[in-house]
Structure formats: structure tokens, C-alpha cells
Amino acid sequence: MSTSLNRTNWPIAAAMIQYANMLPDGTSVQDQTPEQWAATLAEVTDAGFTEIDPTDSWIRLADLPQSRLAVFADLVKEAGLTMPGLSTARRSVIDPEQADENLAYSHKVIDTAARLGIPEVSFGLFYPLTAPQKAALWFWTAQGTVNPDDPGTWKMAVDRIRELARHAQEVGIGLSLEMYEDTYLGTADSAVRFVQDVDHPSVGINADLGNLVRLHRPVEHWASMMQKVAPFTRYWHVKNYFRTEDATTGMVVTAPAPLEFGVISYRAAIKMALAHGFKSAFLVEHYGGDGLSVSATNREYLRRILPKAG
């Protein structure tokens, strides 16, 4: 990516987490008509976005037939959008039930990104939501599945991510690993150790600190985490949360917040990453309410705090 990025041209993509893959009538986004896809893309452009991440919780591009994939890519172009990144969710390559299937799918994601000219992909080691998580207002307030504290599984994860990294390098794609609670990237220290164990130039950390500061439990201060992961940060999911801690009872309460209002100072966090040469795209996210519109305000906040031209 160009080193002359500044606040006016930095790629800032809309996340599609507010759009479900399964529609209320029981059909899937996978099977929508081009006109229906175009209508959703129009909502993204109406919110002022010029970039989109076709997140696979919304549409699994890697599972589309080639003819349909070409149609989708044409619609994105016609909408005036580009795709600087492609994120996956809950497709862990060490999933106890779907590990091999998810590994094969991840290879397809890399090939799909290369075919569409998408320069970055994001993978994670987090699993599908549990029943209690699905029942909760905010899924992160219920306990999810935990990566096993097992050296053999850690090694399998490292080996499989390195395999994907080699593939990504062959086709000119960067690979970002998403920080997420109770996974091998669930703390800053563990995320750094994991990426160092993978030891591949195509691999970095998706410093999604929002996934951690939202937890109703003690967590490391965001600034300390960011200092540790900043040298490894690439394609970056950004979102924020209100967080309050009662030291007398230990109670922690969090809720989604627009990027500039939450507990993480992204002005400071981005400065840390820029000091280490960060030049990847951002993906703006927000859970709850009109997530797309809040993401649009998050985009404008980033435009105000990113470096000026020249």
C-alpha cells in the first residue's frame, strides 16, 4: 500500500456485521439477486463509505460460484466502492468440530481475495457463539468457548496459520490475526507470542482491542496492550466501548460507544501504530442500534485524527 497515505485517502472500510447472512424470510444473502445485493451496497454508499469489507458473517464470497462472485465484484465497482480487506468470523482452524473444513475455507478466502484484488484478509481463532451467548443482549457478556491450554493445539494453530501465511505470500496478500478473548490472541502478550511463533512476514495482529475492553472482567489497560501489539499491527478492526469499573465491588459494566467517546483513545492508539510504520486499512465497526451510521461517524473521526497530507 502507498506510503503517502493521509487522512483524505486512507482506506476506511465499512464492516457488515450489522447485516445477517440469514434473512428474516429464511433465505440467505448467498442466494440473493444482484438487485438485492446492490440495494445493500447502496446503503453503504449512502452512509458515505467508499470502501467495504464484505465480512463473511454477511456474505461468504469464498463460497460463491465464480459467475456469482464476478457479479458481486462488478456491483461493488459500480457502487463506487473498493475492498481493502476481507474479514472472516468464527472460522477457527482449530475448531474442535470444523478445523479441517475451516482450514480449507481459509485457503479459499485467500484465493478469493487475490482474485478480487483485496490486499488484506483477517482471520481469528474464535469459535461460533454458544447458546447462552446467542440469548444474551450483548454476546460478550456470556462465556464463550475457550482455546485449550494445550501446547499441541497451540502448535497446530501456529502451523496452520503459517501454512495460510505462505499461501497468502504466494498470491500477494497480507494476513491479520484478530485479537479476541479466550483465544491464543486473547491478550496482548499472548498475541505477540503467537505471531512471533508463526514467524512469517505476511502475518500481523489485528489489534481489535474493543473485543477485550468490552469484557465484564478485569483486562489489561488498553494503552499497555497497544504498546505491545503496535509493532505487529496491520489490517485493523476499530470499535470502542464505554467501560466502568467499581473498585469497591469489582463490578464491570460495558456498552458499545462511538469510536471517539469510548474508553480507548484511538488518537493515542493510532499514533503508537504509526510510529511502527502502520499503513494498512481500517475497518470501522459498531454493535447495536444503527451500526452502519455509527460506523460512518467513526470513519469521520478517523479522518480528523489521521495525519494530514504532506
Side-chain angles (χ1 to χ4, degrees):
M1 189 172 288
S2 170
T3 55
S4 61
L5 290 175
N6 58 70
R7 63 177 56 177
T8 62
N9 65 1
W10 209 295
I12 303 175
M16 300 301 283
I17 57 176
Q18 60 273 355
Y19 294 96
N21 177 262
M22 296 305 297
L23 301 167
D25 64 2
T27 61
S28 170
V29 173
Q30 302 294 121
D31 301 318
Q32 282 188 306
T33 65
E35 291 76 17
Q36 290 170 317
W37 284 343
T40 304
L41 295 174
E43 291 188 5
V44 176
T45 56
D46 284 348
F49 283 97
T50 52
E51 293 89 17
I52 186 175
D53 178 329
T55 319
D56 73 353
S57 59
W58 171 55
I59 186 168
R60 299 186 310 279
L61 293 187
D63 286 341
L64 288 177
Q66 289 304 307
S67 59
R68 295 266 288 165
L69 182 65
V71 168
F72 182 88
D74 287 344
L75 290 171
V76 169
K77 186 175 182 179
E78 290 169 11
L81 294 164
T82 60
M83 296 181 283
L86 174 55
S87 297
T88 66
R90 308 192 184 281
R91 294 280 186 150
S92 172
V93 295
I94 55 168
D95 184 285
E97 297 179 1
Q98 305 286 333
D100 291 346
E101 180 181 325
N102 288 347
L103 179 61
Y105 170 78
S106 298
H107 279 292
K108 288 200 300 180
V109 168
I110 291 169
D111 283 333
T112 300
R115 189 171 292 117
L116 298 181
I118 300 173
E120 300 269 357
V121 294
S122 176
F123 293 119
L125 296 176
F126 47 108
Y127 304 125
L129 294 173
T130 63
Q133 286 180 308
K134 291 178 181 178
L137 173 61
W138 304 120
F139 63 83
W140 55 85
T141 61
Q143 180 61 53
T145 308
V146 180
N147 282 179
D149 183 13
D150 169 59
T153 308
W154 174 284
K155 183 180 184 304
M156 183 174 88
V158 167
D159 290 345
R160 289 189 162 198
I161 294 299
R162 189 183 296 124
E163 174 187 327
L164 292 172
R166 289 170 178 154
H167 180 186
Q169 185 179 49
E170 288 171 1
V171 295
I173 300 295
L175 197 157
S176 185
L177 299 177
E178 183 172 355
M179 297 181 73
Y180 196 94
E181 79 267 15
D182 298 327
T183 72
Y184 297 147
L185 292 101
T187 67
D189 290 326
S190 183
V192 169
R193 183 164 73 92
F194 187 86
V195 169
Q196 288 177 329
D197 280 2
V198 173
D199 190 24
H200 195 282
S202 293
V203 177
I205 294 173
N206 173 354
D208 194 344
L209 302 184
N211 286 340
L212 304 180
V213 302
R214 70 190 179 189
L215 299 175
H216 286 198
R217 63 174 94 156
V219 295
E220 184 178 1
H221 192 278
W222 69 264
S224 173
M225 289 194 285
M226 192 66 217
Q227 285 173 343
K228 294 172 182 176
V229 302
F232 306 92
T233 299
R234 55 188 310 154
Y235 186 47
W236 191 355
H237 294 182
V238 291
K239 56 180 175 286
N240 217 342
Y241 291 83
F242 298 111
R243 179 181 175 94
T244 186
E245 303 176 4
D246 186 339
T248 61
T249 65
M251 183 181 72
V252 177
V253 176
T254 69
L259 210 57
E260 62 189 296
F261 297 136
V263 69
I264 301 167
S265 167
Y266 275 97
R267 185 185 296 272
I270 289 171
K271 283 180 181 178
M272 291 185 208
L274 291 176
H276 290 279
F278 174 78
K279 53 184 179 181
S280 296
F282 293 95
L283 174 73
V284 285
E285 298 182 304
H286 184 81
Y287 282 102
D290 184 353
L292 180 62
S293 289
V294 178
S295 293
T297 68
N298 291 343
R299 179 197 68 231
E300 294 310 301
Y301 165 69
L302 291 179
R303 295 269 179 234
R304 293 198 304 273
I305 66 172
L306 285 166
K308 295 180 180 178

